[in-house]
């Protein structure tokens, strides 16, 4: 009985430790200046608002995708950093596809999902591939 009471008390504490980042911390990363941090922050911010503010999420994911695609054009990018930017770009494009789907533009959403799926396959991101396939239907 004592173990159950302890576990019941500890469970909410553990859950609260897994809260998503606050908007203030995301804005801090955006102003940090490093492109990787900025791209990830825009990606996270879009994920936080996509259900209530899909237009804002699309704008934020587009910013993330622009940063990542711009960096991927850099021929001197290390392989690890290139992989990071490909994953960021893939996730941003998948989110944009989600927005297009909700707006009823199925053709554009499928195009985004296909781009994201191909990048996930290229980078070995099996969870990303599964997410894309789920979104495609």
């Amino acid at each position: 009985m004592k173990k159950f009471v302890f576990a019941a008390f500890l469970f909410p504490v553990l859950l609260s430790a897994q809260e998503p980042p606050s908007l203030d911390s995301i804005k801090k990363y955006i102003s940090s200046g490093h492109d990787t941090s900025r791209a990830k922050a825009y990606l996270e911010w879009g994920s936080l608002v996509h259900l209530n503010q899909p237009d804002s999420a699309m704008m934020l994911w587009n910013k993330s995708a622009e940063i990542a695609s711009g960096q991927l054009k850099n021929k001197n990018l290390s392989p690890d950093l290139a992989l990071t930017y490909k994953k960021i770009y893939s996730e941003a494009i998948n989110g944009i596809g989600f927005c297009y789907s909700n707006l009823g533009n199925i053709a554009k959403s499928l195009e985004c999902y296909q781009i994201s799926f191909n990048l996930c396959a290229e980078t070995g991101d099996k969870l990303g591939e599964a997410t894309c396939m789920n979104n495609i239907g």
Side-chain angles (χ1 to χ4, degrees):
M1 179 66 174
K2 287 182 182 181
K3 288 181 183 179
F4 176 74
V5 172
F6 177 73
F9 173 77
L10 188 58
F11 187 69
V13 173
L14 291 174
L15 285 180
S16 67
Q18 299 298 321
E19 290 181 20
S22 70
L23 193 51
D24 289 336
S25 65
I26 291 172
K27 287 180 180 179
K28 182 179 83 173
Y29 283 109
I30 290 171
S31 65
S32 74
H34 194 274
D35 285 342
T36 308
S37 298
R38 290 179 42 236
K40 287 181 179 180
Y42 282 124
L43 196 61
E44 185 64 33
W45 192 355
S47 296
L48 289 174
V49 302
H50 78 280
L51 294 177
N52 296 325
Q53 300 168 327
D55 292 340
S56 296
M58 185 177 250
M59 179 195 70
L60 294 164
W61 285 329
N62 271 310
K63 285 185 178 196
S64 180
E66 287 171 12
I67 293 168
S69 66
Q71 287 297 319
L72 287 168
K73 292 175 185 173
N74 181 353
K75 300 298 180 192
N76 297 322
L77 207 58
S78 73
D80 287 342
L81 207 48
L83 179 66
T84 298
Y85 282 120
K86 284 179 184 179
K87 288 181 177 183
I88 291 170
Y89 185 75
S90 173
E91 193 171 336
I93 293 297
N94 190 54
I96 293 167
F98 175 82
C99 290
Y100 278 125
S101 177
N102 285 345
L103 292 170
N105 191 339
I106 303 304
K108 191 69 174 167
S109 70
L110 289 174
E111 180 183 327
C112 290
Y113 293 148
Q114 189 62 53
I115 292 167
S116 181
F117 179 82
N118 291 342
L119 281 169
C120 288
E122 181 182 329
T123 60
D125 181 3
K126 298 296 183 190
L127 180 59
E129 286 182 66
T131 300
C132 291
M133 294 303 290
N134 179 66
N135 290 344
I136 289 170

